Amino acid sequence: EVLDVSSGKTKMILETMDWIGSPSFTKDGKNIQYDNGNKSFLIPVSGGKPKETISPVNSTMTESDGMYTYYSDQNTGTNQVWRKKQDGIGQQLTYDSEHAWYPHLSPDKKYIAYLAYPHDVNPKQSVAYQKVSLKLLPLGGGGAKNIAYFFGGKGSFEKNSWSPDGKQIVYISNGMRR
């Protein structure tokens, strides 16, 4: 699904019974790349038929803006979003009872989008097929807000899923919304 960040509206671009995961926008913003098994596919953002690709997939689980590296860590007992300066000093950014996974920096470097799991999920293991929410954290101050609810988890939001213009986010949902 593609989520319009400002309106909250979603658009389904592919429905399948196959396990697919790790969606991300291509650099030009015209296609979504995703994994299915050991293969990668492209599908136009406008929808259509997927095509297999041999393009390498970005697999990083941390983000960097040159000054900070953004990541998830459970050293407080609950998985939270942190950032670390080049000197190695970490700063916790979220203080939530939910577990925060896969923080991704917006193209304008003003927001972090991340996946939030319920508190009763093991903070050391990202799992699929959970009731999760997608949250948006302004880096200029203020708390995170929920921008989407869905069934998902591992494979839904592991790669940076922002569109190049920062107006949309893509993710994989595994069934009904809550």
Side-chain angles (χ1 to χ4, degrees):
E1 293 185 55
V2 176
L3 170 75
D4 182 292
V5 176
S6 63
S7 72
K9 292 182 180 178
T10 60
K11 176 180 161 189
M12 181 76 68
I13 59 169
L14 177 66
E15 258 187 271
T16 181
M17 294 300 290
D18 293 340
W19 184 92
I20 60 175
S22 306
S24 60
F25 279 88
T26 54
K27 290 184 185 198
D28 64 8
K30 294 180 181 178
N31 294 288
I32 303 294
Q33 185 170 355
Y34 66 90
D35 298 338
N36 182 338
N38 293 327
K39 297 179 180 179
S40 290
F41 292 85
L42 291 174
I43 187 168
V45 173
S46 59
K49 187 171 174 86
K51 293 181 183 174
E52 190 173 346
T53 180
I54 57 170
S55 299
V57 178
N58 175 15
S59 63
T60 184
M61 299 251 286
T62 62
E63 296 285 321
S64 180
D65 62 5
M67 184 184 310
Y68 295 100
T69 298
Y70 297 87
Y71 60 98
S72 294
D73 197 324
Q74 75 273 355
N75 64 7
T76 61
T78 304
N79 216 42
Q80 298 297 319
V81 175
W82 292 72
R83 69 180 177 187
K84 187 183 292 188
K85 287 186 178 183
Q86 302 296 338
D87 63 10
I89 297 172
Q91 176 188 10
Q92 187 174 345
L93 297 178
T94 58
Y95 297 86
D96 206 339
S97 64
E98 296 177 308
H99 299 293
W101 281 86
Y102 312 119
H104 297 303
L105 188 63
S106 64
D108 63 6
K109 299 176 179 35
K110 293 181 179 180
Y111 297 93
I112 291 284
Y114 64 93
L115 202 58
Y117 285 81
H119 184 72
D120 60 350
V121 172
N122 182 347
K124 297 180 181 179
Q125 184 178 11
S126 172
V127 292
Y129 303 103
Q130 299 290 312
K131 291 180 181 178
V132 296
S133 62
L134 191 58
K135 291 192 169 193
L136 193 62
L137 176 69
L139 291 174
K145 70 176 187 172
N146 292 316
I147 57 174
Y149 296 96
F150 57 97
F151 278 91
K154 185 167 180 57
S156 294
F157 195 67
E158 292 170 342
K159 298 176 184 165
N160 193 320
S161 300
W162 287 92
S163 61
D165 63 7
K167 294 180 179 180
Q168 297 177 313
I169 295 174
V170 64
Y171 60 88
I172 302 289
S173 63
N174 303 120
M176 302 176 351
R177 298 184 204 314
R178 61 172 159 154

